[in-house]
Amino acid sequence: MDEQDPSPRNSAKTDETGIDCISALPDSVIVEILSKIPITDACTTTILSKHWQYLWTCIHNLHCYRSNTGSGWSDKRLISFMDNALPLLTSSKIKSFTLHFTPNIALSNYHSKLRSKLHEWLEIVLKKKVENLDLDLWGCDYYLDSDLYSLPQELCSSSSLVKLKFKFCKIPEDRKLNWTSLKSLTLTFVLLTEEHMKQITSNCHHLESLKLCDFCGFHRLHLTSPKCTTLELSNHTHPLGYMGDECYFEIVAPYVQHFRISGNFDGVGIRLGDMSSLIHADLTYNLYDDRGLDDVIDKSIVKDHLTSVACANELIIPSLYIEDCTFLNYWCEDMDELEDNYENIFIIGSLRNLKILKVILQWSPFIEDDTTTELTELMKCLFEHAKYLEKLVIVAETRDCSEVIQNLLALPRVSNSTVVVSSESVAGAEY
């Protein structure tokens, strides 16, 4: 008997029939596999055999990434491919449509022609009741409003959308936002009017997660739906020529359990209202700019924000909070008064449910040499009042943390808490 050929060309065939195992799979399984790869790759399977010629047209997930199409794909070729491929799809329902463009295909290069094509493509997937839509037009310039793609009203009022992400797009003022089935919304590089934010919070009754990145335009964010439990805000960014009012906003989210605000919020006034359901709070944003101490620091910020997140089990704060407490020293006559300020922060804020606290020590233009001393005093007060604290994590990103470690280890604690100290160059260690 001849030995079996172990070469790759026979590895996908059975010994007895010689049938390709992949082709022997049920068509439904093949379509599921093709639905997980970019549509440009799925379409190339037509060359395998007649049986495969139309299988790709049954896919229900459409993923198009300009960066993954290779150097052989020009912008015009990609547009032509999408223009011809989408009408051939036979699936009655599209689960997801992902469309990512690179800077090589900026809307300004094709103006009205490409805009009309985008409208046509979206019209096709919206008619097929697309559930997940991810639109990233990175080639557009957020700082040039005329270069942004305007979302059509059909998309803004789609009842089939469950998860929506878009980046570098524009919502014209006359659009009405009414996503009645939406559960997750992520908007990046977007100018949101007060009315549009009101429509999001009022009309999206099933919304569970809201994430805004590099945004501006509104002053009130009132999430009062019991279903919305996650809120993330990152970077407050103005488009070129923005003529809006003074930057400030108020957040009221009584049912949000996971809250994160990070990145740059230079010169932005942030007021936190009712957030009484919080479990996890991440306040690693910064308010620094180059205008000077009096314009940057409001010593009531720390107290107000800690009070608003007092019910959280897990809390992450930046060195801003430590440094703000250090600045209190300028108004304190002695150490007793300084300790009273610390005590007021924790007693008024209470932090009654706090179990895990993470402090991010970062460089800032206002950092003081005695920050380590102030941190020790602050944590001493924390250990005295946070009776349920289980773990304290200190992340020292820019300086030697050995003194911090020794000082923290020497502090008495009312709870049996663990101290974890880590840095960029040293792995975290527990004590």
Side-chain angles (χ1 to χ4, degrees), residues 105 112 173 262 267 296 300 307 318 324 354 362 377 411:
I105 197 167
S112 60
E173 291 189 9
S262 61
V296 174
S300 66
T307 300
D324 278 353
L354 189 62
Q362 298 172 317
E377 293 296 329
L411 292 177

Side-chain angles (χ1 to χ4, degrees), residues 258-358:
H258 306 280
F259 173 59
R260 182 184 184 189
I261 179 168
S262 61
N264 294 318
F265 286 80
D266 295 352
V268 181
I270 302 173
R271 182 180 181 275
L272 302 182
D274 182 4
M275 306 193 78
S276 53
S277 298
L278 275 182
I279 296 175
H280 177 273
D282 182 341
L283 306 179
T284 51
Y285 64 96
N286 73 72
L287 302 172
Y288 289 128
D289 58 22
D290 57 1
R291 296 176 298 172
L293 178 63
D294 292 338
D295 291 329
V296 174
I297 299 300
D298 181 348
K299 55 183 180 296
S300 66
I301 289 178
V302 175
K303 183 180 69 176
D304 291 345
H305 287 188
L306 284 178
T307 300
S308 297
V309 301
C311 60
N313 296 130
E314 301 180 21
L315 176 62
I316 303 176
I317 59 175
S319 53
L320 163 71
Y321 281 68
I322 307 302
E323 292 153 24
D324 278 353
C325 291
T326 300
F327 292 141
L328 293 177
N329 193 27
Y330 291 117
W331 290 277
C332 297
E333 295 181 358
D334 53 39
M335 184 56 70
D336 290 338
E337 185 178 351
L338 182 60
E339 290 176 356
D340 288 341
N341 277 305
Y342 291 143
E343 198 162 322
N344 287 336
I345 290 174
F346 290 110
I347 292 177
I348 294 175
S350 75
L351 300 176
R352 56 188 177 273
N353 298 324
L354 189 62
K355 293 183 179 181
I356 300 175
L357 173 64
K358 185 175 183 179

Side-chain angles (χ1 to χ4, degrees), residues 118-119 122-123 126 135 149-157 170 172 175-176:
L118 285 172
H119 279 304
L122 288 174
E123 183 179 5
L126 289 171
L135 187 62
Y149 173 67
S150 296
L151 299 182
Q153 181 58 53
E154 293 80 8
L155 188 156
C156 294
S157 57
K170 178 172 63 176
R175 298 294 189 264
K176 304 299 180 182

